[in-house]
Amino acid sequence: MSFDFRIADLSLHEAGRHQIRLAEHEMPGLMALREEYAAEQPLAGARIAGSLHMTVQTAVLIETLTALGAEVRWASCNIFSTQDEAAAAVVVGPHGTVEDPQGVPVFAWKNETLEEYWWAASQIFAWPGVDSDASAGANMILDDGGDATMLVHQGAAFEAAGAVPSATEDDPEEYRVVLETLRASLAENPSRYTGVSQAIRGVTEETTTGVTRLSQMARDGELLFPAINVNDSVTKSKFDNKYGIRHSLPDGIMRATDVLLGGKVAVVAGYGDVGKGAAEALRGQGSRVIVTEIDPINALQAAMDGFQVIRMDDAVSQGDVFITTTGGKSIITAEHMRAMKDKAIVGNVGHFDNEIDMAGLAQLPGVEKVEIKPQVHEWRFADTGRSIIVLSEGRLLNLGNATGHPSFVMSSSFANQTIAQIELFRKTAPGYTGEDGYTTDVHVLPKVLDEKVARLHLGALGAELTELTKEQAEYLGVDVAGPYKPEHYRY
Amino acid sequence: MSFDFRIADLSLHEAGRHQIRLAEHEMPGLMALREEYAAEQPLAGARIAGSLHMTVQTAVLIETLTALGAEVRWASCNIFSTQDEAAAAVVVGPHGTVEDPQGVPVFAWKNETLEEYWWAASQIFAWPGVDSDASAGANMILDDGGDATMLVHQGAAFEAAGAVPSATEDDPEEYRVVLETLRASLAENPSRYTGVSQAIRGVTEETTTGVTRLSQMARDGELLFPAINVNDSVTKSKFDNKYGIRHSLPDGIMRATDVLLGGKVAVVAGYGDVGKGAAEALRGQGSRVIVTEIDPINALQAAMDGFQVIRMDDAVSQGDVFITTTGGKSIITAEHMRAMKDKAIVGNVGHFDNEIDMAGLAQLPGVEKVEIKPQVHEWRFADTGRSIIVLSEGRLLNLGNATGHPSFVMSSSFANQTIAQIELFRKTAPGYTGEDGYTTDVHVLPKVLDEKVARLHLGALGAELTELTKEQAEYLGVDVAGPYKPEHYRY
Amino acid sequence: MSFDFRIADLSLHEAGRHQIRLAEHEMPGLMALREEYAAEQPLAGARIAGSLHMTVQTAVLIETLTALGAEVRWASCNIFSTQDEAAAAVVVGPHGTVEDPQGVPVFAWKNETLEEYWWAASQIFAWPGVDSDASAGANMILDDGGDATMLVHQGAAFEAAGAVPSATEDDPEEYRVVLETLRASLAENPSRYTGVSQAIRGVTEETTTGVTRLSQMARDGELLFPAINVNDSVTKSKFDNKYGIRHSLPDGIMRATDVLLGGKVAVVAGYGDVGKGAAEALRGQGSRVIVTEIDPINALQAAMDGFQVIRMDDAVSQGDVFITTTGGKSIITAEHMRAMKDKAIVGNVGHFDNEIDMAGLAQLPGVEKVEIKPQVHEWRFADTGRSIIVLSEGRLLNLGNATGHPSFVMSSSFANQTIAQIELFRKTAPGYTGEDGYTTDVHVLPKVLDEKVARLHLGALGAELTELTKEQAEYLGVDVAGPYKPEHYRY
Amino acid sequence: MSFDFRIADLSLHEAGRHQIRLAEHEMPGLMALREEYAAEQPLAGARIAGSLHMTVQTAVLIETLTALGAEVRWASCNIFSTQDEAAAAVVVGPHGTVEDPQGVPVFAWKNETLEEYWWAASQIFAWPGVDSDASAGANMILDDGGDATMLVHQGAAFEAAGAVPSATEDDPEEYRVVLETLRASLAENPSRYTGVSQAIRGVTEETTTGVTRLSQMARDGELLFPAINVNDSVTKSKFDNKYGIRHSLPDGIMRATDVLLGGKVAVVAGYGDVGKGAAEALRGQGSRVIVTEIDPINALQAAMDGFQVIRMDDAVSQGDVFITTTGGKSIITAEHMRAMKDKAIVGNVGHFDNEIDMAGLAQLPGVEKVEIKPQVHEWRFADTGRSIIVLSEGRLLNLGNATGHPSFVMSSSFANQTIAQIELFRKTAPGYTGEDGYTTDVHVLPKVLDEKVARLHLGALGAELTELTKEQAEYLGVDVAGPYKPEHYRY
């Protein structure tokens, strides 16, 4: 492969610039950070290897990181999710041209192969000169799902072992590609990732999945550098999940089907933050919402919020629309789908596509799949004469049938990312002696920074915060500047 | 022009068939009427000239009319609104082929010129043999906005006068085309529309605009045949307006802008049925809704429903999103737009595009219009440095940025149309002597038929109606079968 | 009986004055009318015989009428509904004392017998000198339910016949008392009500029941003077019914039972204006609401608003709370109640107490009634071991368990009454020659006066109305000052 | 004082029994625990000193504790909150009589003096024989606010010091009474509370305030026995606070004022759980809700939920109703109140009465306080001519003007209490060697017990929980039986 970093069709950069400009208006958190830190340049010296969906919102994140002094190289964390015009615009940069791009190296395009994906992942560590001097390379990772972090850890481990093992039969196809990528690396430079792992000061991780991986490594003593869990900031998990889905779920269903939600029975599996946002959105459209739950506390919340709570086995004959939000698996089985009403709509906004048993569906005898339009398929059951409509092949419909979370929600998530990068870069600096330094473990951001992210978004909504008087703060036993709540507070 | 009725690209008919099949599932009112009247064929002998947006939903209407025995010719009532695949599918018919179409003559395609539009309008009266024998032509009109009815009335009037007048300078461009069309007709056949007007038994009209025209003609003694005002059936105006907009407004804004509605200030001008649906939808997405109103009763309703009611002059600096729903004009002026916050979103779901003063906006000194994508434009103000986003050029955004009212809502409207056609065709039959015959005036459907339309849609939503006992009905002074409410009841 | 008009315990007047003063603040419509008409005194010369629940809100109405120049005599229209402190305060007046009352003669107290009730009803026509000169007596009636109007009509009819008939066995007990009252009157003065009926210029009627009676008399040619139907003003029926119930239904249930409504299944029978307000209130408390309906249009509205619509027979086993809102009878039967879950709560906010079959309940074998507290009874079923809780013995629970409609809602109703009195008094004046005079029929207020009532309430809510420009008004074809909507508009 | 435990008017016991029976139906959590543990008797041997509002709901708690084997003595934790009929019913017991009470010693009545209150508090430790043998006395405390726990700790401390100090001038009046109570105790028995403190195995605490006290003692090394923080169970804090207030706030306002909430502007100070419940309830009644907040995260939640967020200084001129929910102080100052609109309503559902500066209000020059009815006062400002309505003198209006949290909500809180008593009693038993024993610190209940409490309440709401398959549980990395979420999950 002979890619240089101009992998996107750079002629798209103008369209991307328009979108970035509009997105900036909807991302007040990031824009406020640019302003606050313009003089200080807290990320000067930071070389960030980023792996996160290369969208318009991410473009605003990247350009915020560089505005704060960082150097950045970027890949997407998903083979489908790159918006090519955003990638192009980031490469060209606000002041560059196609002939003379002045932006950031981006290794991402829509519809990558697995080989291309892992090649791109390795490119974000391939800083000029890094192979001869690891300290010239990345010193920070910004990760979504943990692939970049995993590459460094596995790479270093195999280098320590002196060999990359062969894939076994049970390994998924993708892992085979990872092994090949690392085998090639080992051949090129037998201590590449060892050096990289030593140069990295820390990682900030976006998702539950990535945090789970990090926590396992920390527990097993395998984690090589400190990590900040961005996912569990309140302003990430309680905003992105609830308010993002409230927007993007009806958006996705409407774009996909144009079916009136009013008066319909909508079955929402799961009443966590995503389920709460989904149920609110559907009720707001006049649907009658039924909830299924396995956790009695969430189930009781659903009941107290006025929703009927029953089992999927019982709901399956009543629903017109079925939405999974759980993160679990086999929530809707093939038998469930076969028993649904004619033209029932089935979609997932939870996590993996196995929340809906798509594999089982495809194996039903005589079942027929008809594409109505891209990401909208009718599955016809030979025996019953009925059919159902499945959105985005069971993958996240808010991404597949709509455009995912809106910019404002991502501003909150990405302001956490940016602040986490600053925090971690500053407090892992050689010579930093503060008591609040970061150990090689998985941390969440201090509550006061979580509050700061919220603070940065209030102005754009016209919300005006009250300031505690000193006397009031003392009465409550808190500082005027926060944090205001105990750690276990649930919001 | 050498069009025959195969004006659409008939190769689109398969895609259209898929969509029609899915729409049929969402149009239980029409499907129930097909079943109910399959044997009786109440429209046998009806030759319907139809003028209404040639969409997928209209395709289901057309095929319902033919299933009930009618012959049909069709044009669209708007130069932009035809969905070509729907038109093709109707022409080919469920059992025809491109080579051997067996459906209905349709004279409509997306993006007609005004000349083409009025040519198409005249074709729905051009039944084979009609010029020699008017009774071989259309005997019913199904109209949306009144263009077909107007053509017949004006044609007959000019034929009586023996000449078509010239357009004056003040006449709009479109009226000039109408006059040319009728001038050509007069030359071809000096009594064409006189004959047509005598053969027509009546018209059923879909919209407020069309009803207003009909009422003026009735008042002035110029109406030539009975009319049924479908628009003011409860199951049309209170459903289509409120529940249709509740769906299609957020759909349109989301598709156009991807902007998070949660936390935003949304200003809704007007709190009639459309405004009520708009306000409910936006609140359901977590917006804070401000209402402007000129009618104190509607204003009080808005206040009692928990919305802030202020004037546009005061709202203009607070809103992030502005939606007009009034049917009035100059609701949002150019000065209003110039005073809005940066990147405010402005759109219309009311009636004409003059609710928002687009003409005034374009004339502001130094204003610049940038297309973000089709139907989404940024207007930049030279002096303030701010810009706003205007959807669908000020025309109906739920049509321009989304796909208009969903099928289920149109099922209710079109079931009214179908029942009105049956009612009018039956009770204007030569020899009909019932006391409930239709005079040459504008009528609404009897309440019991309005109730019937509602009844046809309950099953699809799983709603089960209670039946009055005879004793209960007597106590209330109503018939067990309805109607259940006095005429003035407001629902 | 030797009552003079000081029938209430006048020592209560101070407590009543406090309540009146607070109510005045919540009745901006009436207070605005006092201000608007202070100089003009449009009711100067009016002598109003009023029959309407003698509550604090009615006190504000009465004192508004007198502030506009009227003389007033008052009775309650219900034997239970008088608030004695309000009656006392009205009698004493704002500037009088117990020894020297300077207010209005009020013939009403809490818990009257039927004899006392009809005695009081006749007293509102017993103006000094009226027996010798009918023109010295009442010239206007303000009625609620039609009892005062009926008394005059029946009295005059019996006087014409020269005799009062005997009650038959089928006549209800109350009618026997009416006949006795009129028999005594006939003996005293054989032309009393004939004179009264001739002196009366018109009546303004508050309720559906009263309007139904008036309409029947008009249809049968028996109506003796013009009537204005206040009930069907939009600002009465769509406000009082919906927004009043939204407040007073949860208020009543909570005061009666203290049962958490959140998470409960609430069954609302009927989805008219009262049902809509009830369903909204219960959903607002986190109940899951099920609706039963006989009218398919209302049923479809309920479904589109997200409520499940089923039959009472099916709902009866699911509900925790059952509320009737229909105006019909036997909506909840004894068998329904026997089948309900243990401790289900049953109440009525519709009309008469036969919406719930209380008689049938009492006749169930072995049923036992236990008073939990006044207006809250547990009914125990011997055979099932279960019991239910019935509120206010099946009568209106918002009155029996709470305090009925709040002042603000009554301000809207009573502003309609006041305006109707002015309108009718002015346009039935001897010598009035306007074309808009009132015939001896049942009329509704002109829409522009309905709009005026709304207008009077906007300021108190901080709502600011937009005024049409002349150009906008012309475009809409309306007057700048209203009315703004066609007569059939449904709001 | 010569009280024996028959302090209440025992003749009230029948009324109390009715209420307890109805409350039992609404407290399914407690009733389920009675059933589950009927055989096991896990509290056999427990002698519980309880200090918690002596209401009907607490009666069900007390009788649940005894049904599980405990002996109990009880006082209220507030001088006003006892419901005398509940106290009487608990003393008499379900099977006793006034002459032969067989229930539980209760030392509580409505409207105690401070002296009586602290006498009663000391009585719950005065078990027969305890002064000679501390192990015959209480071995568990069930506390609300920490008064009982404080009495034991202070008593033991003073006994160690050999003297009770004198109150200083700065000490509040109440502390003086505490000191006197303990001084008398020291005189009677110089080692009473030392013995008690050694016999107590642990305390379960209901409230934030009590938990704060406990945490301070634990931090300072002064805590004498283990404590379970019941307050921070999800099924306590997120249910009681949010859903309880959603019910009891409108209940209190309505009972106090009968003012229509629809259309009014309601200002809610604080958007924690209580504020969320308050805002939801008021919106559900058609109020327009404005929120004030000091915490940016909660402020952002309010904005995203569609509420306007401004400062009290700016809100004060807009609101019709003001509700504090913060737990802070001086949220509404006297100056705020003076600037409010005429007849604005002011109330508190937060914590102490200093959220509203009642002291400052009373000191405004010329201010006049008029009692409208008990717990409802009009405060008139001499200079402005306006007045405001203050509910419950600034204390908790949902208690003062209504009846506090409904039984169902308390069932959830009290099931936590009961389970905490079982858990703590079992795992502090002499000889208990499990690793999950309780140290002398402040603990929260294990999440799986929190989930159990939720589970116990689902059936009563008809909610049906889904059970994970073993495969699904493994996929999620949880046990089929729970707990299902990580500790930091926020619900």
Side-chain angles (χ1 to χ4, degrees), chain A residues 239-251 273-279 281 325 349-350 398 405-406 409, chain B residues 285:
Chain A
F239 281 78
D240 175 323
N241 288 345
K242 182 171 178 189
Y243 301 119
I245 284 294
R246 184 177 66 181
H247 173 107
S248 59
L249 172 65
D251 191 13
D273 288 321
V274 173
K276 286 179 173 79
T325 75
V349 289
N398 56 330
H405 290 321
V409 157
Chain B
Q285 277 293 311

Side-chain angles (χ1 to χ4, degrees), chain C residues 206 234-246 274 405 409-410 412-413:
Chain C
E206 179 79 5
V234 186
T235 49
K236 204 279 182 177
S237 59
K238 293 280 275 194
F239 282 78
D240 176 321
N241 288 345
K242 182 169 177 189
Y243 301 119
I245 284 295
R246 184 177 64 182
V274 173
H405 289 320
V409 156
M410 295 318 297
S412 187
S413 298

Side-chain angles (χ1 to χ4, degrees), chain A residues 232 238 243 246 272 293 295 298 304-305 309 311 329 464-466 471-472 485 489-491, chain D residues 232 238 243 246 272 293 295 298 304-305 309 311 329-330 464-466 471-472 485 490-491:
Chain A
D232 288 310
K238 292 280 273 194
Y243 301 119
R246 184 177 66 181
E293 249 299 343
D295 185 317
N298 295 267
M304 296 303 279
D305 290 345
V309 181
R311 297 193 192 89
K329 64 180 268 191
E464 292 169 28
L465 203 62
T466 303
E471 196 189 359
Q472 287 176 318
K485 300 288 193 303
Y489 186 76
R490 296 189 184 92
Y491 297 90
Chain D
D232 288 311
K238 295 279 274 194
Y243 302 119
R246 184 176 65 182
E293 249 298 345
D295 185 318
N298 294 265
M304 296 304 279
D305 290 345
V309 180
R311 297 192 193 89
K329 64 179 269 193
S330 298
E464 292 168 28
L465 203 61
T466 303
E471 195 190 0
Q472 287 175 320
K485 300 289 192 304
R490 297 190 183 91
Y491 297 91

Side-chain angles (χ1 to χ4, degrees), chain D residues 141-467:
Chain D
I141 299 178
L142 190 159
D143 212 352
D144 178 311
D147 278 356
T149 302
M150 186 267 270
L151 192 74
V152 174
H153 279 75
Q154 292 260 26
F158 296 151
E159 289 167 9
V164 174
S166 300
T168 68
E169 273 204 0
D170 289 352
D171 284 336
E173 164 67 7
E174 182 161 7
Y175 191 59
R176 197 189 46 74
V177 180
V178 173
L179 293 177
E180 278 172 21
T181 304
L182 288 173
R183 193 172 295 115
S185 171
L186 190 70
E188 274 176 41
N189 179 344
S191 63
R192 174 178 288 155
Y193 288 106
T194 306
V196 167
S197 72
Q198 289 162 350
I200 297 289
R201 293 197 201 166
V203 58
T204 60
E205 167 60 45
E206 179 80 5
T207 66
T208 306
T209 306
V211 168
T212 303
R213 287 179 173 192
L214 288 167
S215 300
Q216 287 166 347
M217 286 195 286
R219 188 195 57 201
D220 298 344
E222 297 171 356
L223 188 64
L224 298 174
F225 34 75
I228 289 186
N229 163 3
V230 167
N231 180 68
D232 288 311
S233 292
V234 186
T235 48
K236 204 278 184 178
S237 59
K238 295 279 274 194
F239 282 78
D240 175 322
N241 288 344
K242 182 170 178 189
Y243 302 119
I245 284 293
R246 184 176 65 182
H247 174 106
S248 59
L249 172 65
D251 190 13
I253 300 174
M254 286 172 173
R255 292 195 208 210
T257 69
D258 288 317
V259 162
L260 183 73
L261 291 171
K264 294 292 195 304
V265 175
V267 180
V268 174
Y271 200 67
D273 287 323
V274 173
K276 287 179 172 79
E280 184 183 347
L282 291 163
R283 174 181 275 180
Q285 277 294 309
S287 298
R288 175 158 71 86
V289 178
I290 292 174
V291 169
T292 73
E293 249 298 345
I294 57 118
D295 185 318
I297 298 178
N298 294 265
L300 191 54
Q301 288 185 308
M304 296 304 279
D305 290 345
F307 299 112
Q308 187 175 14
V309 180
I310 58 177
R311 297 192 193 89
M312 188 59 78
D313 292 351
D314 300 316
V316 81
S317 62
Q318 299 183 46
D320 300 296
V321 179
F322 293 83
I323 302 298
T324 55
T325 76
T326 70
K329 64 179 269 193
S330 298
I331 308 305
I332 295 179
T333 65
E335 272 317 302
H336 283 147
M337 288 185 271
R338 216 177 63 90
M340 287 176 184
K341 293 199 286 188
D342 192 31
K343 305 289 179 293
I345 296 167
V346 179
N348 172 31
V349 290
H351 196 63
F352 286 123
D353 59 355
N354 58 357
E355 297 211 19
I356 300 167
D357 183 10
M358 293 306 295
L361 177 63
Q363 288 161 16
L364 284 182
V367 77
E368 189 189 353
K369 176 183 174 186
V370 179
E371 176 157 311
I372 303 298
K373 60 183 181 185
Q375 314 282 10
V376 182
H377 295 88
E378 184 180 9
W379 289 77
R380 297 182 186 164
F381 303 105
D383 48 353
T384 68
R386 293 194 297 265
S387 66
I388 61 166
I389 311 295
V390 178
L391 306 186
S392 291
E393 315 248 4
R395 285 189 293 269
L396 299 180
L397 78 91
N398 56 328
L399 283 165
N401 299 95
T403 61
H405 290 320
S407 299
F408 194 88
V409 156
M410 295 317 298
S411 178
S412 187
S413 297
F414 287 171
N416 274 291
Q417 276 286 8
T418 305
I419 286 174
Q421 285 282 327
I422 296 172
E423 174 82 358
L424 198 53
F425 184 66
R426 176 186 289 156
K427 297 190 178 167
T428 55
Y432 183 79
T433 56
E435 291 196 354
D436 55 352
Y438 285 89
T439 55
T440 300
D441 205 338
V442 186
H443 308 266
V444 293
L445 277 181
K447 185 175 288 294
V448 75
L449 293 181
D450 210 346
E451 292 172 354
K452 175 176 182 155
V453 171
R455 216 178 277 270
L456 296 177
H457 289 84
L458 292 174
L461 301 177
E464 292 168 28
L465 203 61
T466 303
E467 189 165 313

